[in-house]
Amino acid sequence: MYVSVKGGERAIRNAHGWLAEERRGDRNVTELSLAQIREQLTLAVNRVMAEGSLYDPDLAALAIKQARGDLIEAIFLIRAYRTTLPRFGYSEPLDTARMTCDRRISATFKDLPGGQILGPTFDYTHRLLDFKLAAEGDAPQAHSQPATQGEVPHVTEFLNNEGLIEETARTGKAPPDLTREPLEMPAERALRLQALTRADEGFTLGLAYSTQRGYARNHAFVGELRIGMVAIEMEIPELGFAIEIGDMTVTECETVNQFKGSKTEPPQFTRGYGLVFGQTERKAIAMALVDRALRWEELGEDYVGAPAQDAEFVLSHADNIQATGFLEHIKLPHYVDFQSELELVRKLRRTVQAAQSQEAAE
Amino acid sequence: MNDLSSQNTDRKKWMSLLAKAPEGRIAALLDTATARPGFDWLRAPEVGSVMVRGRMGGTGDAFNMGEMTVTRCALKLGCGTVGHGYVQGRRKACAEAAALIDALMQTQAAPRIQAEVLDPLTEETEARQTSRADKAAATKVDFFTMSRGED
């Protein structure tokens, strides 16, 4: 518990004033515009949209500027803003098979229909600092070549002729919504995926890595990873039909996992799934690995006590706004709490000292 | 959707196009094409959110993914025609222009709006998509087998 304390208004006002000045930095350096953040720090913007759980690049850019580049603080600002918006409704589920892909690769199937498209990737770069970027200059133009790409079906769908890959059920069930009802265990997969897609990237990455190192090993291959633009459709009640209300960049990762079979399922490849706002490749892969690990129960696998299998552990600690809220509150005044602790420790010490001096006297 | 009348199919098409147009573009095209008619608000522009859904495994049951910002409004022209505007983002002026175009497309002005607003907008959208798709195509991998090792 912490108790509100009065006083300090002037100090707080001045601290905020100084914060604003520090945010601006050296006034001889040109001020950063929101458009610059949106266009040139795009992947930071994408992370803030994904974990802030609100797709709006301009707002994410503003949050990043206000937070001085502290992305968790920026995510916090977006989450807070999100709660002020009236909810117009729910979209139709995204049809990612109709995505216009900037990138689409498969680590398992070399000759997939539609081809392997690398897109604007950091892969195959040497990870050497490029000092040309320190000097202002024109960026090179990307090469083009006429595209022939039509629809790009999911790899796992057309490779499932043999029935070796697990089918995903489609029952038409309405999914639970974490923003409307609090998280309760046991959490069904739809709820887990909602929590994971907005989960902290670092936490998700760490858990996913733990499954690769042997904690609930499920040997994942990236069946398909795609990044691109997809249209969002929503039924408009006053019209009686659905229209596209926008489009957004998303990253989708589907893993295929070796599976020896269980009490209830035959040997086959099972699947993990990641779908995240923006170009957020690391997060989408990590999400798919963690999703797969959490599916142990429905696949009849053994619970081996690995952190990534424990839905309560994963889902209760994956949200960086909840986590930082609780973590950072301990720096706020706890004077009364601490006073009582102090009294307790003094009393314990007096008891111990009294006992010791009595022992010495005997 | 099959149950849509062709009128609704057309309307769905132009509303979808307007929803995704870049900031300020539809208002600029509208004002070049025609003077804005008088109207009354049925619903003044408001910013809200839509919860976007995905499918588990890409094809399975739905799950809630996160929200997006949307601005909507509805208006009525002097002749009684109702126009709806739904646009992505927080863009009240764009929503107003979109609703006006939606209304005008149901009046005698439709051919002119089609030619001077919707057609150029379609072309611009397609040009943006093609430019991106062509850059993606240039990064497509052409595998060739160097040596199979069995000779």
Side-chain angles (χ1 to χ4, degrees):
Chain A
M1 162 181 115
Y2 75 87
V3 177
S4 58
V5 215
K6 281 188 76 97
E9 290 91 342
R10 185 194 51 82
I12 290 170
R13 212 169 35 243
N14 290 345
H16 290 171
W18 195 15
L19 167 66
E21 190 186 294
E22 288 283 297
R23 176 190 292 121
R24 176 60 184 84
D26 183 349
R27 276 166 210 268
N28 294 317
V29 176
T30 319
E31 187 178 352
L32 201 51
S33 74
L34 297 190
Q36 285 172 331
I37 297 172
R38 188 189 65 225
E39 298 300 317
Q40 297 174 40
L41 296 178
T42 314
L43 302 191
V45 167
N46 287 347
R47 181 170 177 191
V48 169
M49 293 195 299
E51 294 172 35
S53 203
L54 184 68
Y55 195 98
D56 187 318
D58 295 311
L59 278 181
L62 171 61
I64 291 169
K65 180 170 179 173
Q66 187 177 335
R68 305 178 66 195
D70 178 340
L71 296 190
I72 291 185
E73 180 71 19
I75 291 160
F76 199 161
L77 294 170
I78 292 297
R79 288 276 186 94
Y81 176 82
R82 192 199 67 77
T83 62
T84 67
L85 294 173
R87 172 83 58 88
F88 292 165
Y90 291 84
S91 84
E92 303 289 319
L94 298 186
D95 186 357
T96 51
R98 286 177 57 213
M99 182 189 292
T100 48
C101 294
D102 285 354
R103 174 164 168 78
R104 190 244 194 166
I105 54 167
S106 171
T108 48
F109 311 111
K110 181 164 67 73
D111 297 309
L112 69 172
Q116 306 249 5
I117 300 161
L118 300 183
T121 179
F122 291 126
D123 293 353
Y124 320 108
T125 62
H126 295 291
R127 265 67 181 223
L128 299 172
L129 280 175
D130 181 358
F131 289 97
K132 287 203 293 294
L133 291 173
E136 287 171 40
D138 288 335
Q141 289 264 307
H143 284 284
S144 289
Q145 106 186 15
T148 50
Q149 186 184 319
E151 286 197 7
V152 273
H154 287 100
V155 171
T156 46
E157 293 302 307
F158 60 75
L159 276 155
N160 201 16
N161 298 336
E162 283 183 84
L164 289 181
I165 298 179
E166 176 206 8
E167 300 270 4
T168 316
R170 188 148 159 184
T171 62
K173 186 174 181 292
D177 185 352
L178 203 53
T179 66
R180 286 290 181 265
E181 308 107 37
L183 180 66
E184 274 181 30
M185 301 295 154
E188 60 182 283
R189 191 179 180 203
L191 195 61
R192 300 197 302 254
L193 288 172
Q194 185 181 8
L196 287 176
T197 190
R198 62 184 218 166
D200 183 72
E201 179 174 314
F203 182 81
T204 316
L205 171 66
L207 277 173
Y209 180 45
S210 77
T211 69
Q212 291 185 293
R213 289 193 62 253
Y215 292 88
R217 177 182 294 281
N218 52 45
H219 208 278
F221 294 103
V222 171
E224 185 168 2
L225 176 73
R226 53 169 76 192
I227 302 174
M229 195 75 99
V230 64
I232 317 298
E233 275 204 11
M234 184 172 79
E235 175 94 19
I236 307 296
E238 55 269 37
L239 296 176
F241 56 88
I243 64 163
E244 291 175 8
I245 50 165
D247 45 27
M248 58 171 59
T249 303
V250 296
T251 303
E252 183 183 43
C253 175
E254 194 153 20
T255 56
V256 286
N257 303 63
Q258 195 190 80
F259 181 63
K260 293 195 185 79
S262 67
K263 286 154 239 158
T264 56
E265 303 291 326
Q268 59 182 324
F269 288 103
T270 54
R271 297 153 70 170
Y273 188 66
L275 182 67
V276 186
F277 284 162
Q279 179 176 343
T280 42
E281 182 167 310
R282 183 185 305 115
K283 169 69 180 290
I285 300 172
M287 175 177 170
L289 263 61
V290 176
D291 169 49
R292 176 59 188 80
L294 289 172
R295 297 185 61 219
W296 64 273
E297 201 164 7
E298 65 213 46
L299 293 168
E301 287 178 321
D302 291 330
Y303 177 69
V304 299
Q309 284 182 308
D310 185 341
E312 205 283 332
F313 177 81
V314 173
L315 303 182
S316 306
H317 302 114
D319 190 283
N320 54 23
I321 300 312
Q322 279 175 7
T324 205
F326 199 65
L327 181 105
E328 294 199 46
H329 101 280
I330 64 173
K331 73 193 172 184
L332 299 175
H334 281 68
Y335 304 136
V336 176
D337 277 358
F338 189 70
Q339 192 65 35
S340 70
E341 298 271 316
L342 200 61
E343 287 301 319
L344 182 65
V345 172
R346 281 179 182 142
K347 196 172 148 195
L348 288 171
R349 179 170 282 208
R350 275 196 301 273
T351 318
V352 171
Q353 278 170 346
Q356 278 169 348
S357 50
Q358 196 174 349
E359 236 172 70
E362 279 168 6
Chain B
M1 280 184 218
N2 300 325
D3 57 342
L4 288 184
S5 68
S6 78
Q7 199 187 350
N8 282 355
T9 312
D10 288 344
R11 195 171 182 194
K12 173 184 170 132
K13 206 165 153 188
W14 77 60
M15 287 188 77
S16 301
L17 181 69
L18 295 168
K20 298 183 283 189
E23 174 77 44
R25 192 61 191 133
I26 35 183
L29 285 167
L30 173 65
D31 292 332
T32 313
T34 180
R36 294 194 182 201
F39 65 86
D40 290 315
W41 286 120
L42 296 176
R43 178 196 275 148
E46 58 171 339
V47 175
S49 78
V50 168
M51 175 58 89
V52 178
R53 286 180 165 164
R55 288 194 183 283
M56 301 187 231
T59 53
D61 275 336
F63 70 97
N64 291 308
M65 201 185 156
E67 288 162 282
M68 64 185 278
T69 49
V70 173
T71 308
R72 70 176 176 188
C73 67
L75 49 77
K76 190 157 80 170
L77 301 184
C79 62
T81 310
V82 173
H84 291 280
Y86 270 84
V87 297
Q88 181 171 17
R90 295 155 302 115
R91 302 187 292 150
K92 292 184 176 176
C94 289
E96 178 182 327
L100 276 172
I101 291 167
D102 180 49
L104 288 171
M105 280 301 291
Q106 302 167 65
T107 67
Q108 306 267 315
R112 176 168 196 167
I113 297 293
Q114 179 70 46
E116 293 181 35
V117 179
L118 298 179
D119 289 346
L121 206 53
T122 307
E123 276 170 36
E124 289 167 18
T125 306
E126 283 171 0
R128 272 197 310 277
Q129 285 166 349
T130 306
S131 155
R132 223 170 157 84
D134 289 354
K135 286 176 200 167
T139 69
K140 198 161 170 175
V141 182
D142 295 316
F143 285 110
F144 55 94
T145 308
M146 296 180 72
S147 161
R148 293 178 60 101
E150 66 248 36
D151 300 327

